[in-house]
Amino acid sequence: MSVDTRHVPPAAEPPAQSDSPAALRSPSPVGSVERRRLGPASLLRWLLLLVASVAFTYPLIWLVSASLKPKSQVFDNRLVPETVQWSNFVEVWNAGPVLRWLMNSGVVSLMAALAVTFSSAIVAFGFAYFRFRLRGPLFGLVLATMMLPGAVTMIPVYLIWHQLGLIDTQVPLWANNLFGSAFYIFLMRQFFLGIPRELFEAARIDGCSHFGMFRRIALPLCRPALIIVFIFELQASWSDLLKPLIYLQTEEYFTMPRGLKQIVDGFALSGEYHWEIAMAATLVATIPMIVVFAFAQRYFLEGLATTARQG
């Protein structure tokens, strides 16, 4: 049986969009953005941001400039060197085993960051998930340790490492972080408290252990906090001078800050300070942290924003 299609009207075609200049110039009402003139408040805000940016970046710019100057021009306060002396960076490598010091700093900083991130996270998870008697006072006691100056525990901790026979090794530089940090515990506990408890209860019904909940639920959902803690401790361990100064005597184990101090002390012994070499060495020690922040900036800002929402 055939169907007669002679009286079926053709399908209506969609109206063609006009390509006229007038149609192209007319903005869409949904995506249009109203341009507003900057008022006094906006100008003041931008001015304050500009001043703050210059204040924070000026020391780094001065350091780069001083590292490229001859000895007689290091402290002339010119941001553009009158004479550029690239040989300063060559002399840095001749002043000591800088590459070895950089590798030591990288290993120590990485171990310290990993240790404090994991230990603080597991303690914070315990305070956030478990309900037990005296939980509040115990957590307050942990926070109270933040009020203790580092000088109070410096000698007892040194005696402990001395009894263990680990003086003049790199172990004391990072092993203390295996016991966590009060500030990092507080920070990550706030993240863990923001996770719905129903997720953990459902995991418990499915037979998941407490450590399994910590590893499979808590850690993935709190990745921004983990990244913040890792970056903070990485930077703190990289720039730390006090611990290497106390525990290290052998040049082979020096970190970069301890090596910089030895370079400056060598200038003092010789009676001739080469500050241009010291500035170049300082810049070499600073560049790795700039690179780390450049790559981790997105996660860093995400973590700070999430922390503000959690708080």
Side-chain angles (χ1 to χ4, degrees):
M1 180 178 179
S2 61
V3 180
D4 188 6
T5 59
R6 289 177 296 178
H7 301 289
V8 178
E13 297 182 356
Q17 296 182 356
S18 175
D19 294 335
S20 62
L24 294 177
R25 286 195 302 267
S26 59
S28 173
V30 177
S32 61
V33 178
E34 181 182 0
R35 296 184 178 180
R36 299 179 180 177
R37 295 182 178 180
L38 293 178
S42 299
L43 289 175
L44 180 60
R45 182 171 64 252
W46 282 107
L47 182 60
L48 292 177
L49 290 175
L50 179 61
V51 172
S53 300
V54 172
F56 279 100
T57 57
Y58 178 79
L60 180 60
I61 297 174
W62 186 93
L63 175 64
V64 174
S65 176
S67 65
L68 295 173
K69 295 177 180 179
K71 177 182 177 181
S72 59
Q73 302 176 8
V74 172
F75 297 105
D76 61 3
N77 289 327
R78 292 183 179 179
L79 296 183
V80 179
E82 183 179 355
T83 303
V84 177
Q85 186 170 294
W86 294 100
S87 60
N88 294 341
F89 292 94
V90 178
E91 294 298 328
V92 168
W93 305 99
N94 297 329
V98 176
L99 182 60
R100 180 69 180 179
W101 296 342
L102 288 173
M103 293 177 61
N104 291 340
S105 292
V107 172
V108 170
S109 300
L110 187 62
M111 293 293 295
L114 290 174
V116 79
T117 301
F118 180 79
S119 59
S120 300
I122 198 168
V123 174
F125 177 76
F127 278 115
Y129 175 76
F130 294 104
R131 303 288 190 265
F132 55 91
R133 186 176 298 178
L134 299 179
R135 185 183 69 160
L138 284 177
F139 184 67
L141 184 63
V142 171
L143 296 183
T145 60
M146 297 172 60
M147 303 296 105
L148 287 175
V152 174
T153 59
M154 184 184 302
I155 295 178
V157 171
Y158 178 86
L159 294 177
I160 292 173
W161 290 118
H162 180 73
Q163 291 295 326
L164 294 176
L166 294 175
I167 300 299
D168 199 21
T169 67
Q170 296 176 353
V171 175
L173 304 185
W174 61 267
N176 285 335
N177 290 352
L178 292 172
F179 302 96
S181 168
F183 173 72
Y184 297 148
I185 291 172
F186 169 76
L187 178 67
M188 285 190 281
R189 177 179 175 270
Q190 298 304 112
F191 273 81
F192 291 142
L193 288 176
I195 300 176
R197 193 172 180 84
E198 290 77 10
L199 294 177
F200 299 112
E201 299 300 333
R204 289 292 295 167
I205 293 175
D206 290 339
C208 187
S209 63
H210 292 116
F211 185 77
M213 291 189 298
F214 170 72
R215 181 174 61 89
R216 299 180 180 180
I217 299 177
L219 289 185
L221 292 179
C222 293
R223 187 178 64 172
L226 299 176
I227 293 175
I228 282 184
V229 171
F230 184 86
I231 295 176
F232 276 179
E233 188 60 30
L234 190 72
Q235 187 274 334
S237 298
W238 181 273
S239 59
D240 184 27
L241 174 61
L242 183 60
K243 288 181 184 177
L245 200 61
I246 293 174
Y247 294 106
L248 300 181
Q249 289 89 34
T250 305
E251 184 180 279
E252 181 183 359
Y253 302 137
F254 283 0
T255 58
M256 194 61 195
R258 181 65 180 89
L260 288 175
K261 176 142 189 334
Q262 175 163 296
I263 291 176
V264 176
D265 291 344
F267 296 155
L269 292 177
S270 64
E272 185 177 3
Y273 285 91
H274 294 275
W275 291 113
E276 73 281 4
I277 299 178
M279 297 302 166
T282 304
L283 182 61
V284 170
T286 306
I287 288 176
M289 286 298 100
I290 297 177
V291 174
V292 168
F293 182 79
F295 281 99
Q297 182 180 10
R298 180 171 65 90
Y299 303 102
F300 184 77
L301 296 177
E302 177 186 354
L304 289 180
T306 309
T307 304
R309 291 196 297 268
Q310 292 290 346

